[in-house]
Amino acid sequence: MASALAAKMGLNSLRRKQAKNFNVRISTMESDMEFSCEVKRKILEEEIHCPPEASVLLASYAVHAKYGDYDSNVHKPGFLAQEELLPKRVINLYQMTAEMWEVRITACYVEHRGRTRDEAEMEYLKIAQDLDMYGVNYFLIRNKKGTDLLLGVDALGLHIYEPDNRLTPKCSFPWNEIRNISYSDKEFTIKPLDKKTNVFKFNSSRLRVNKLILQLCIGNHDLFMRRRRVDSLEVQQMKAQAREERARKQVERQRLEREKQLREEAERARDELERRLMQLQDEAHMANEALLRSEQTADLLAEKAQIAEEEAKLLAQKAAEAETEMQRIKVTAIRGQEERRLMEQKMLEAEMLALKMAEESERRTKEAEQLKQDLQEARESERRAKHKLLEITSKAVYTPPALLADSMPADLSFSRENLSFDFKDTDMKRLSMEIEKEN
């Protein structure tokens, strides 16, 4: 009973301890998130100076902490258009567009593949804590001469700056070199361990600021000294638990990574099978279409064969008819040759007759010319005869009629009318005979 009760009490104690550690982890995570958001805000608002290269790298870790691993199918160009990732000073320092900055940030973002969001957040804080102005709280002070200065308090010590230069301190006092910090009224005194070093005194005009400076100095000095002391058993246990937790997370992350790779390989294999299935379906569809086309082609060929057979019959019939027509044409050609020979003979005879007619025409033309010449000669003879008759007539007028009648014989008497008529009648007969002969 006692051992069972002790075991039960031990189990309850372990449960309470685990619950306490779980609550501590939750509160730690919440505080870490708030702290990281505060660091990001200070970097973007340029309260913490950040070079351009570090700004791009921090922006890539901030994107990874928000979106997880890069996925080209999800993170399309323009997915950072609404995000505020870089300080305005860095953006204005270079003549680059928002798209160009996104390309640079995405190039760094791709290289963080495989990290968890928490790891990306931690990497962001690790890079941020190496910045010159990280964790430094600035206060306006005056030295003994009344010169305005800036006091910087951080985890490494105290730093004195010029008011217009918060990056490079004029002098620094690390915590391990400070022997004492005293505060009296409005004046602070920093006493170094090295007695040869002068004591530095400064004052602030506001009491509330003085108290805040003192609290920050005490707290940072205590943390600095605590980091150099040996951890207590509880802290060692917590660190061991943290290491175990990190190892467990690492194993879990590796397991998840393997599962992710296997899932991606399975998805790729499934996509490949789906692609192959789609390809086979397309090939089957194409084969069915080809089969259907081949069947249609076969039907068309059968129809064409039938049509060709019918055309062959028609051609054979036409060939027989053509043969008959050829025989008829041959007979007709033979007859035509005979007729052509007769026509040629008739043409030859016609040509000979035409030649004869041409010769006869020429001869008749010559005769007509001869007749015309004879006609002219006859007319000329008529004209001479008329002239001669007129002469004779004129002579007869002047001869007395009684003498003339007595002197002329009876058979030689004639008149103008009888002479003229006989001559004309003879010529007309001759011309009529020539015209009839010509016809």
Side-chain angles (χ1 to χ4, degrees):
M1 287 290 292
S3 60
L5 183 60
K8 188 174 181 181
M9 291 176 65
L11 182 61
N12 293 333
S13 176
L14 181 62
R15 288 176 178 175
R16 284 194 300 271
K17 189 175 182 180
Q18 289 177 350
K20 182 179 179 181
N21 291 336
F22 181 73
N23 293 331
V24 169
R25 284 199 300 271
I26 292 177
S27 61
T28 303
M29 291 175 63
E30 291 178 352
S31 61
D32 289 343
M33 290 179 64
E34 293 177 359
F35 177 67
S36 62
C37 291
E38 182 67 17
V39 173
K40 291 177 185 177
R41 183 189 65 78
K42 288 186 176 183
I43 291 175
L44 292 177
E45 293 179 359
E46 301 181 19
E47 294 181 13
I48 299 176
H49 176 77
C50 184
E53 295 78 7
S55 299
V56 173
L57 185 60
L58 289 173
S60 65
Y61 277 115
V63 172
H64 192 94
K66 183 176 181 179
Y67 294 100
D69 278 343
Y70 174 78
D71 188 354
S72 58
N73 297 323
V74 177
H75 305 115
K76 301 291 184 180
F79 75 105
L80 299 179
Q82 304 298 326
E83 299 290 340
E84 186 179 2
L85 300 172
L86 298 172
K88 293 182 179 180
R89 178 185 57 82
V90 175
I91 296 174
N92 297 329
L93 191 61
Y94 299 94
Q95 294 180 353
M96 295 175 62
T97 62
E99 292 77 12
M100 297 170 69
W101 284 114
E102 181 179 340
V103 170
R104 291 198 59 182
I105 294 172
T106 305
C108 296
Y109 174 35
V110 173
E111 296 178 358
H112 305 330
R113 190 187 301 273
R115 297 178 183 270
T116 62
R117 299 188 178 187
D118 293 338
E119 289 177 347
E121 196 76 34
M122 291 302 297
E123 290 295 331
Y124 186 97
L125 294 176
K126 286 180 182 178
I127 296 172
Q129 74 180 0
D130 292 334
L131 299 176
D132 294 335
M133 296 174 63
Y134 176 80
V136 181
N137 295 290
Y138 296 94
F139 301 95
L140 185 62
I141 60 173
R142 289 182 180 178
N143 58 10
K144 291 185 296 182
K145 297 179 180 180
T147 306
D148 291 335
L149 298 171
L150 285 177
L151 172 68
V153 183
D154 62 4
L156 299 178
L158 299 177
H159 311 280
I160 308 301
Y161 299 89
E162 294 286 348
D164 55 352
N165 184 6
R166 297 190 177 192
L167 290 177
T168 307
K170 289 181 63 177
C171 60
S172 298
F173 301 95
W175 293 119
N176 57 353
E177 296 179 5
I178 297 176
R179 184 178 62 183
N180 186 19
I181 298 176
S182 61
Y183 167 67
S184 174
D185 195 11
K186 295 181 180 181
E187 187 178 60
F188 282 88
T189 303
I190 300 175
K191 296 180 180 180
L193 290 176
D194 189 1
K195 294 182 179 180
K196 296 179 180 180
T197 306
N198 296 326
V199 176
F200 183 78
K201 294 183 178 182
F202 62 90
N203 57 62
S204 175
S205 59
R206 298 177 62 183
L207 180 62
R208 185 177 178 183
V209 173
N210 293 337
K211 291 182 179 180
L212 181 59
I213 292 173
L214 182 61
Q215 290 176 0
L216 284 173
C217 291
I218 294 172
N220 280 287
H221 186 266
D222 289 343
L223 291 174
F224 180 81
M225 299 303 295
R226 190 182 299 175
R227 283 196 298 270
R228 280 151 180 76
R229 289 199 302 265
V230 179
D231 295 332
S232 62
L233 182 61
E234 185 178 359
V235 173
Q236 292 178 2
Q237 289 178 354
M238 291 178 65
K239 288 184 177 180
Q241 289 178 358
R243 287 194 295 270
E244 291 176 358
E245 185 69 18
R246 284 196 298 271
R248 186 183 65 78
K249 286 183 178 180
Q250 183 68 20
V251 173
E252 183 69 18
R253 185 165 58 252
Q254 292 176 356
R255 184 181 65 80
L256 291 175
E257 187 67 24
R258 286 195 300 271
E259 290 181 355
K260 183 179 180 180
Q261 292 179 357
L262 292 174
R263 184 171 65 253
E264 290 177 353
E265 291 177 358
E267 289 178 353
R268 285 195 295 270
R270 184 192 62 191
D271 295 339
E272 180 65 21
L273 290 175
E274 289 179 353
R275 186 186 63 79
R276 183 60 181 167
L277 178 61
M278 293 294 294
Q279 184 178 359
L280 291 175
Q281 289 177 354
D282 293 339
E283 291 177 357
H285 183 64
M286 293 173 63
N288 289 330
E289 291 182 352
L291 178 60
L292 181 61
R293 286 196 300 270
S294 63
E295 290 177 354
Q296 294 176 354
T297 305
D299 294 339
L300 291 174
L301 290 175
E303 293 179 0
K304 288 183 178 180
Q306 185 178 359
I307 293 171
E309 186 177 357
E310 293 177 357
E311 289 179 352
K313 291 180 180 180
L314 291 174
L315 289 174
Q317 184 178 357
K318 289 182 179 180
E321 294 176 356
E323 185 68 24
T324 306
E325 185 68 19
M326 286 178 63
Q327 294 295 332
R328 187 183 63 77
I329 290 172
K330 285 181 179 180
V331 174
T332 306
I334 294 171
R335 292 178 182 176
Q337 290 178 359
E338 183 68 22
E339 291 177 356
R340 188 169 59 252
R341 186 179 60 79
L342 293 174
M343 290 294 293
E344 289 177 355
Q345 185 177 357
K346 289 181 179 181
M347 286 175 65
L348 184 59
E349 293 176 355
E351 288 178 358
M352 292 177 65
L353 180 59
L355 184 59
K356 289 180 180 181
M357 291 178 68
E359 292 176 353
E360 183 68 21
S361 175
E362 186 178 358
R363 187 179 61 81
R364 293 299 177 87
T365 303
K366 290 179 180 181
E367 289 180 356
E369 291 292 332
Q370 185 65 35
L371 289 173
K372 288 180 180 180
Q373 187 177 0
D374 293 343
L375 180 60
Q376 289 179 359
E377 291 177 355
R379 288 178 179 175
E380 184 66 27
S381 299
E382 182 183 4
R383 186 181 63 78
R384 286 195 302 268
K386 287 180 179 181
H387 183 69
K388 191 174 182 180
L389 179 61
L390 289 173
E391 289 178 356
I392 294 171
T393 306
S394 62
K395 288 178 180 182
V397 171
Y398 295 104
T399 303
L403 294 176
L404 185 57
D406 290 339
S407 65
M408 285 183 65
D411 56 351
L412 292 176
S413 62
F414 61 88
S415 64
R416 290 178 58 186
E417 290 81 2
N418 292 332
L419 180 60
S420 178
F421 175 79
D422 291 340
F423 180 75
K424 291 181 179 179
D425 188 41
T426 304
D427 290 338
M428 289 299 295
K429 287 181 178 181
R430 183 181 175 184
L431 289 174
S432 297
M433 290 176 66
E434 290 295 335
I435 291 170
E436 290 178 359
K437 187 177 180 180
E438 181 70 23
N439 292 332

